DNA sequence: CGGCATCCGTCGCGATACTG
DNA sequence: CAGTATCGCGACGGATGCCG
């Protein structure tokens, strides 16, 4: 077997997976998106309700986050022409499937965050 | 049943899940971490090798990313006192378990990115 | 080869104020 | 109640250079 260039050992399939995964994380890895999705998991909710439930998010960021989710087809926005205005947000089918894929990651977090904590302390202790 | 404050309908368990998930995403949601982990999935690798395989990452960012992963106990660093220096990086057991939890998310991405694309175009078209 | 320090541009996000 | 506009800061990350 001839091996002229043994530099790259990543198989293309894995590389492709990785690129898509990176794109997804880029999209949902921001500060608020998953919080909003989490709240909407409980069912449709109004703007102010979401804001209260999350706690700490600003008016502006909730607007932007919801716009992004709506644009990607993960959230459906329904505005009622009443006074005062009323707008409902709810997850689309695609939005709901997204959360299920995050469950393993959340479980991993719960299972490992203490170990990570300890690893950090051990590491930091070396350069005290 | 008395409901004095019907504001929050999130059950605490889910809220807890969400907080941890947010922390995890905060940690691995940066620009390079998962790329590095992906490369190391193929086995131990040297600094320069990782850099070549990822492509586009700067010297500095690879250093910082590896430091972070090492600190969290996700990557093990092994330095050999040779000239020139040689340093091997490899995933720890915890690091390997992490990737498996990301598989569903990657699959979701591959299954849905076209739908997301279309949703975006539809959305953008409304405000042409 | 691998690591660290410095400089600097970009941009995410918060604060605030105004509209329908 | 919901959305938009403007300003400003701070963190992130790229470029570069020096060191063991």
């Amino acid at each position: 077997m001839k091996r002229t260039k043994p530099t790259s050992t990543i198989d293309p399939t894995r590389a492709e997976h990785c690129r898509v995964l990176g794109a997804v994380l880029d999209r949902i890895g921001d500060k608020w998106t998953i919080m909003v999705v989490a709240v909407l998991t409980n069912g449709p909710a109004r703007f102010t309700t979401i804001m209260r439930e999350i706690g700490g998010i600003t008016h502006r960021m909730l607007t932007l986050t919801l716009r992004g989710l709506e644009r990607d087809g993960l959230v459906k926005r329904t505005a009622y022409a009443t006074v005062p205005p009323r707008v409902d947000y709810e997850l689309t089918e695609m939005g709901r499937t997204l959360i299920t894929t995050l469950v393993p990651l959340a479980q991993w977090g719960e299972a490992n965050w203490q170990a990570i904590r300890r690893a950090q302390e051990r590491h930091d202790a070396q350069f005290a």
Side-chain angles (χ1 to χ4, degrees), chain A:
Chain A
M1 272 187 69
K2 241 177 104 177
R3 296 279 243 91
T4 43
K5 271 204 154 191
T7 46
S8 177
T9 52
I10 288 190
D11 72 275
T13 308
R14 175 134 43 193
E16 174 65 15
H17 281 331
C18 186
R19 273 191 39 262
V20 177
L21 180 56
V24 173
L25 286 178
D26 216 42
R27 180 60 192 77
I28 67 166
D30 66 277
K31 196 171 179 183
W32 300 111
T33 295
I34 55 139
M35 295 288 184
V36 173
V37 172
V39 168
L40 292 179
T41 300
N42 300 321
R46 303 181 56 172
F47 187 91
T48 314
T49 308
I50 301 172
M51 198 163 159
R52 260 199 316 271
E53 302 224 8
I54 289 182
I57 191 174
T58 61
H59 200 140
R60 171 191 149 86
M61 285 317 295
L62 182 53
T63 302
L64 291 179
T65 303
L66 285 170
R67 282 289 165 282
L69 287 168
E70 190 195 354
R71 190 175 105 101
D72 292 352
L74 297 171
V75 158
K76 183 158 80 73
R77 186 188 119 108
T78 313
Y80 301 94
T82 59
V83 180
R86 176 208 175 96
V87 182
D88 277 18
Y89 292 94
E90 62 180 314
L91 290 180
T92 61
E93 179 53 31
M94 188 160 66
R96 279 188 291 274
T97 61
L98 172 60
I99 351 175
T100 66
T101 70
L102 290 172
V103 172
L105 189 56
Q107 289 172 338
W108 182 89
E110 307 220 30
N112 291 99
W113 69 272
Q114 295 178 0
I116 291 177
R117 265 271 194 250
R118 275 184 279 109
Q120 289 176 348
E121 281 161 18
R122 236 179 300 126
H123 185 88
D124 295 350
Q126 289 183 11
F127 311 94

